[in-house]
């Protein structure tokens, strides 16, 4: 079912807010069989809202209006729906009770601004908002179903998963739920993966739609079928994909390198330490963003200066002088030093040239050495990622976590990604 | 001048990409006097593109079309403009030269896909793209100026700053450039700042528009006037604002806490070390994201476990047992330990409860102690930031950098932000 979005808010028009709600709506509704065919975005302006409602309600069976349900004067969605449907606003008993409960839970008395949120067009029905004070609005206009939800992302999300989603599904039983499988991948790009799939599987079934969403650092691969009869075909394609990806498959849906690594460490009751130079603490920061990381991560060292690599990680000054800080020898010594300085049983150490300065012909900006493994089986390898400083740090952080992941999985092959095109390691 | 945007791309409709271009366009054009009054977003669909062009070109003097200029078949913008203006596509000599130059610079021969980008509607003019292969398109349609630019953000940005911006300014000499000053602030919210300004300055001049953009962790305050005659008034308001903000003013435009701290450390030829528990390396990561951080930051310690606080930072086990890891005593000991373990002359240490578990009535989730200062003048203070784990880490990282900034500025007062409402420190 093709539907329309009407986004409203001056902050969107001024560029003060990037609209991430649209993407959230599209992602949450696609599996239920609803696609966004057209989106109109206007400021907090009643004439603009009315013109857009007029236009979209004539062309689409559903219009989702997002924003403009807050307590302030420039929140005009209820008023626009009232004018558009020629239904006066009236105080809704259920909405009033909702606002009062919400205020009571926060120990405050409902003021006029809060109470404004309980006035809905006469013929409208309330859509529950389990998170915030603003209830949603459901209204029929001719053949069009108008649904309004607040712009606060957490509220919108819980409503899409709750009553707003139910309204849609109930109103359009013909919408065919899509069965989507999402796999997350590191170490191969979209075009190369697509090419390899084509080369190997000329018989890819038409019923299984392949999609990609490129992120930093993970690539998401979507496998989608329109109905349950095609699930076996999707499973077949998933098998092909898993086989082709091998160790480049990180996980499903919401998995990240950090969550997968923390899970593996927990399962194996192991503890990791980190010795970071060019990533400057980002690897530790990613790991500790996972709730419960404290059981698997005790200590990290951000050793930027050579003197600190010597003092804290006991890296031999002669090694530094002979090979430079960005070298196999030094990164292995950093790894050993971090293990010595902690009780962890595995480690990742990293030293590289983030730039913009500090590169040379032999070791250009983007060159990085990583060492990883356990106390008695450390490995090291060079990688190459010539990119802006922040992007370099993000990719190198991902490589470090991925090497740890592969080590914990007992992988025997070294990954071939992010190599200098002009030389083999 | 009120203008319209037409964004196109299936990835936008599917929610695979969050549209950050709209905000960029709004931010870059507002200072030139162009406001976005309406935005329509559609997929790669010729009928949808034509309908939107029809609608928007009737209502607005300018329509900027973004996306759909790439080399692939689903890039339909040139074709849509051709159909809309009833001008056949023809190969443009200048566009052809551009594509060939672009390919030559990459050592590749222009293929059919590349060459497709040199076909423009007959009556169109090319808009230079200094970065990418896709040129922009300028086309008059009745009273409306149609401008098309590619969707790649870096290309769009350089075109808005270049020829695309020039087309607009030349076409609308009546557009009044706005003179905007942006200040960046930490430690006060939008509503409180607005209230305090109102209370103190009832005589705020109408010519100076005050705006806010809330970010994590900084709040941006905009002061805007429409013409040069009002600049003195804007300067007056800026003085008021600076006076009111005091040490809560971080800087201008692109300044961040990390860039300001790195600059101060460089100027003072000082070096900092970090002892992080709950922030898990994020403070180090923020600092080292600034190019040149290596001259002012030598070593950071991510000491998650108590055992590591003892071993690496020499925190007395008795202190940990008596006061707990989240305490004034321990965070001061961490700070001293980090200074001992490095050659830095100033330090920030942090220990707190990020949650979701680990809180108590005395020290609920969100409680955090920070210590900071130089070798002979360490201070410590508790803060309170009850929020999701990642948000907590981001705010505490900002508090840590801000305390360091205030210390380097020689500030004598402790900030009063992020305190538990129910108790004084």
């Amino acid at each position: 079912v093709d539907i329309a979005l009407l986004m409203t808010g001056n902050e969107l028009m001024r560029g003060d807010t990037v609209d991430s709600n649209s993407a959230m709506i599209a992602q949450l509704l696609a599996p239920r069989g609803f696609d966004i065919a057209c989106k109109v975005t206007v400021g907090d302006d009643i004439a603009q809202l009315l013109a857009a409602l007029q236009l979209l309600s004539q062309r689409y069976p559903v219009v989702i209006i997002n924003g403009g349900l807050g307590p302030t004067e420039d929140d005009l969605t209820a008023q626009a729906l009232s004018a558009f449907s020629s239904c006066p606003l009236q105080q809704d008993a259920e909405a009033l009770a909702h606002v009062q409960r919400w205020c009571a839970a926060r120990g405050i008395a409902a003021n006029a601004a809060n109470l404004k949120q309980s006035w809905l067009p006469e013929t409208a029905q309330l859509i529950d908002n389990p998170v915030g004070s603003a209830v949603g609005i459901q209204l029929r206009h001719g053949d069009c179903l108008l649904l309004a939800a607040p712009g606060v992302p957490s509220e919108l999300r819980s409503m899409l998963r709750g009553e707003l989603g139910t309204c849609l599904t109930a109103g359009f039983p013909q919408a065919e739920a899509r069965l989507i499988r999402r796999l997350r991948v590191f170490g191969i790009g979209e075009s190369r993966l697509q090419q390899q799939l084509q080369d190997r599987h000329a018989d890819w079934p038409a019923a299984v739609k392949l999609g990609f969403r490129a992120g930093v650092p993970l690539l998401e691969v979507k496998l989608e079928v329109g109905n349950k009869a095609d699930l076996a075909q999707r499973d077949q394609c998933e098998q092909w994909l898993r086989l082709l990806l091998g160790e480049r498959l990180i996980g499903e849906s919401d998995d990240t390198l950090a969550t997968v690594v923390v899970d593996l460490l927990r399962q194996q009751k192991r503890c990791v330490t980190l010795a970071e130079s060019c990533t400057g603490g980002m690897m530790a920061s990613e790991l500790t963003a996972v709730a419960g990381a404290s059981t698997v991560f005790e200590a990290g060292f951000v050793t930027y200066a050579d003197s600190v690599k010597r003092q804290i990680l006991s890296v031999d000054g002669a090694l530094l002088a002979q090979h430079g800080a960005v070298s196999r020898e030094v990164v292995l010594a950093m790894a050993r030093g971090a293990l010595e300085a902690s009780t962890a049983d595995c480690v990742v150490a990293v030293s590289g040239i983030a730039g913009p300065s500090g590169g040379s012909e032999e070791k250009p900006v983007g060159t990085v050495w990583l060492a990883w493994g356990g106390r008695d089986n450390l490995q090291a390898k060079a990688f190459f990622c010539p990119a802006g400083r922040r992007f370099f740090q993000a990719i190198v952080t991902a490589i470090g976590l991925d090497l740890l992941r592969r080590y914990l999985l007992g992988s025997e092959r070294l990954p071939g990604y992010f190599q200098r095109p002009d030389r083999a390691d």
Side-chain angles (χ1 to χ4, degrees), chain A:
Chain A
V1 181
D2 280 351
I3 69 171
L5 292 190
L6 172 53
M7 316 299 289
T8 173
N10 286 337
E11 70 284 5
L12 295 174
M13 304 316 280
R14 283 194 304 248
D16 290 345
T17 302
V18 168
D19 165 27
S20 58
N21 283 2
S22 299
M24 187 209 298
I25 296 171
Q27 283 175 38
L28 288 175
L29 294 187
R32 295 172 182 246
F34 295 88
D35 297 308
I36 296 164
C38 183
K39 176 176 75 168
V40 173
T41 312
V42 298
D44 300 311
D45 179 300
I46 198 86
Q48 290 267 20
L49 283 166
L50 287 173
L53 283 170
Q54 189 67 42
L55 178 85
L56 295 172
S57 67
Q58 279 169 7
R59 300 195 189 172
Y60 298 96
V62 179
V63 180
I64 297 180
I65 303 124
N66 188 227
L69 291 176
T72 62
E73 274 175 28
D74 56 3
D75 287 305
L76 298 172
T77 295
Q79 195 182 323
L81 287 172
S82 160
F84 180 61
S85 61
S86 311
C87 284
L89 291 172
Q90 67 174 14
Q91 194 160 40
D92 182 279
E94 205 182 333
L96 178 62
H98 176 88
V99 168
Q100 285 172 334
R101 265 198 312 276
W102 188 88
C103 289
R106 278 150 193 80
I108 56 174
N111 61 22
N114 300 129
L115 292 175
K116 167 173 175 288
Q117 294 179 301
S118 66
W119 288 73
L120 313 182
E122 234 173 43
T123 55
Q125 283 174 288
L126 169 156
I127 306 173
D128 183 44
N129 176 349
V131 182
S133 63
V135 298
I137 299 174
Q138 179 182 183
L139 192 66
R140 278 234 147 257
H141 183 87
D143 289 336
C144 181
L145 178 63
L146 301 167
L147 301 167
V152 182
S154 59
E155 301 182 16
L156 173 63
R157 183 184 298 271
S158 75
M159 291 174 74
L160 285 165
R161 289 181 170 155
E163 271 192 17
L164 184 55
T166 315
C167 291
L168 272 175
T169 314
F172 297 84
Q174 75 275 27
E176 287 205 341
R178 300 210 191 83
L179 301 157
I180 300 179
R181 167 79 72 188
R182 294 171 199 274
L183 299 179
R184 295 187 145 197
V185 173
F186 181 69
I188 184 170
E190 171 179 336
S191 55
R192 215 165 116 236
L193 180 54
Q194 194 156 20
Q195 189 59 52
Q196 293 189 1
L197 277 173
Q198 272 169 19
D199 293 348
R200 294 196 190 187
H201 302 290
D203 52 337
W204 186 279
V208 183
K209 220 175 103 189
L210 180 70
F212 298 94
R213 180 162 56 157
V216 175
L218 300 185
L219 172 70
E220 187 174 277
V221 187
K222 280 192 294 190
L223 294 176
E224 178 180 326
V225 292
N227 57 66
K228 286 188 183 163
D230 297 325
L231 269 181
Q233 288 190 303
R234 196 195 67 184
D235 291 346
Q236 174 62 66
C237 290
E238 185 181 338
Q239 281 314 106
W240 289 344
L241 193 58
R242 284 176 181 269
L243 213 63
L244 175 61
L245 289 170
E247 289 170 336
R248 292 172 297 195
L249 179 67
I250 305 306
E252 301 177 7
S253 302
D254 296 331
D255 292 335
T256 66
L257 283 162
T259 61
V260 169
V261 162
V262 168
D263 280 351
L264 285 168
L265 288 166
R266 275 169 143 177
Q267 285 162 23
Q268 302 180 13
K269 299 196 196 310
R270 298 178 79 160
C271 186
V272 69
T273 184
L274 302 170
E276 302 185 62
S277 184
C278 61
T279 50
M282 193 187 270
M283 224 182 275
S285 178
E286 288 288 317
L287 268 193
T288 58
V290 181
S294 55
T295 58
V296 299
F297 174 66
E298 293 183 341
F301 305 88
V302 184
T303 55
Y304 234 51
D306 283 1
S307 59
V308 175
K309 294 186 180 78
R310 287 204 307 273
Q311 284 161 40
I312 294 167
L313 299 178
S314 314
V315 175
D316 189 344
L319 279 185
L320 282 160
Q322 193 182 341
H323 303 285
V326 180
S327 63
R328 175 189 295 275
E329 292 75 10
V330 166
V331 80
L332 281 168
M334 287 170 65
R336 280 190 292 267
L339 284 171
E340 284 304 304
S342 75
T343 58
D345 43 30
C346 53
V347 64
V348 183
V350 53
S351 181
I353 304 159
S357 61
S360 66
E361 196 174 337
E362 175 59 24
K363 297 176 184 174
V365 168
T367 304
V368 59
W369 274 94
L370 284 112
W372 70 100
R375 286 185 178 264
D376 46 10
N377 53 353
L378 287 176
Q379 301 178 78
K381 186 172 161 74
F383 298 88
F384 184 59
C385 178
R389 187 179 177 88
R390 201 57 174 167
F391 187 76
F392 169 86
Q393 290 182 323
I395 291 292
V396 174
T397 292
I399 294 175
L401 294 176
D402 189 49
L403 294 170
L404 178 58
R405 182 186 68 89
R406 287 165 179 258
Y407 165 73
L408 293 168
L409 288 171
S411 165
E412 296 192 347
R413 279 189 309 172
L414 291 179
Y417 51 53
F418 296 105
Q419 295 300 297
R420 265 180 86 166
D422 55 338
R423 60 179 75 182
D425 171 28

